[in-house]
Amino acid sequence: MNGPQWLFGYGSLIWKQDFPFIEARPAFIDGWVRRFWQGSHDHRGVPDDPGRVVTLIEAPGERCYGRAFLIEPDVFEHLDDREVNGYERHRVDVHFDDSQLLGVVYIGHVGNFAFLGDAPLEDMAAQIRRCAGPSGRNVDYVVELARALRDLGVTDPHVFELEARVLQTDSC
Ligand code: SIN
């Protein structure tokens, strides 16, 4: 596809823009939920002790709110590298307040090599509290994502409950 495209961000892309973009807008996609079910061996953990970051899980009837960025096609080269740990580009309808456009989202599909899946909240919090990688502490990923969602006026119980649990037990 030629020309600028909309990239839907729902995790670190919402709050960490190390890529150029033309425009950013609040947006949502339907049929997916955000979950801390993806392992991070390269950013928020290491190969022997991966951290936990978000991916999208198919959930008919559900809606995932995030932030969409209009980017030039060559920016995908950098993003593919950043999202290399199990994420793949996926075509999706990106919804704005007043319109809908075909865009792209990075998803770590169920069963990819870095996929961790569900676990009790306390276990996920303990893993996140323990882990760190080249991009920093796993705790900071959770806190920054929760902050960015609040700034967007988005409520996500999964993220907020995990944040509360991680901060309760974060002794650093
Ligand atoms: C995203 O933010 O859209 C993808 C997942 C991540 O990089 O945290």
Side-chain angles (χ1 to χ4, degrees):
M1 228 191 197
N2 296 322
Q5 291 191 57
W6 283 100
L7 167 71
F8 179 77
Y10 58 92
S12 66
L13 292 176
I14 293 182
W15 53 269
K16 187 176 178 181
Q17 287 90 43
D18 60 354
F19 56 92
F21 58 91
I22 301 160
E23 191 187 338
R25 295 175 65 183
F28 63 86
I29 60 172
D30 280 332
W32 299 89
V33 289
R34 175 176 20 236
R35 290 288 179 265
F36 271 88
W37 291 5
Q38 180 72 2
S40 178
H41 306 75
D42 55 346
H43 285 298
R44 302 286 163 172
V46 291
D48 283 350
D49 200 9
R52 272 187 183 260
V53 292
V54 288
T55 185
L56 293 177
I57 302 297
E58 264 189 289
E62 297 289 334
R63 180 166 284 182
C64 179
Y65 290 90
R67 203 169 169 217
F69 302 89
L70 187 61
I71 60 172
E72 297 287 358
D74 62 356
V75 177
F76 280 108
E77 206 176 309
H78 165 68
L79 292 172
D80 285 351
D81 193 44
R82 169 173 163 169
E83 304 294 323
V84 71
N85 206 57
Y87 293 94
E88 285 175 13
R89 286 191 224 166
H90 185 90
R91 288 247 158 236
V92 71
D93 285 328
V94 181
H95 298 260
F96 304 100
D97 272 352
D98 51 355
S99 57
Q100 164 189 332
L101 288 164
L102 191 61
V104 175
V105 62
Y106 282 91
I107 297 179
H109 289 288
V110 174
N112 75 79
F113 72 90
F115 191 75
L116 297 175
D118 198 6
L121 200 66
E122 269 172 43
D123 293 358
M124 287 200 275
Q127 183 179 357
I128 288 166
R129 198 176 73 244
R130 185 182 69 237
C131 287
S135 296
R137 297 194 314 160
N138 203 171
V139 167
D140 295 333
Y141 179 106
V142 178
V143 170
E144 291 296 335
L145 177 57
R147 191 202 323 266
L149 291 175
R150 276 190 207 99
D151 287 350
L152 285 170
V154 172
T155 300
D156 186 325
H158 174 74
V159 176
F160 292 172
E161 279 164 25
L162 197 51
E163 179 201 32
R165 192 60 64 101
V166 155
L167 290 178
Q168 250 174 29
T169 51
D170 182 22
S171 54
C172 301

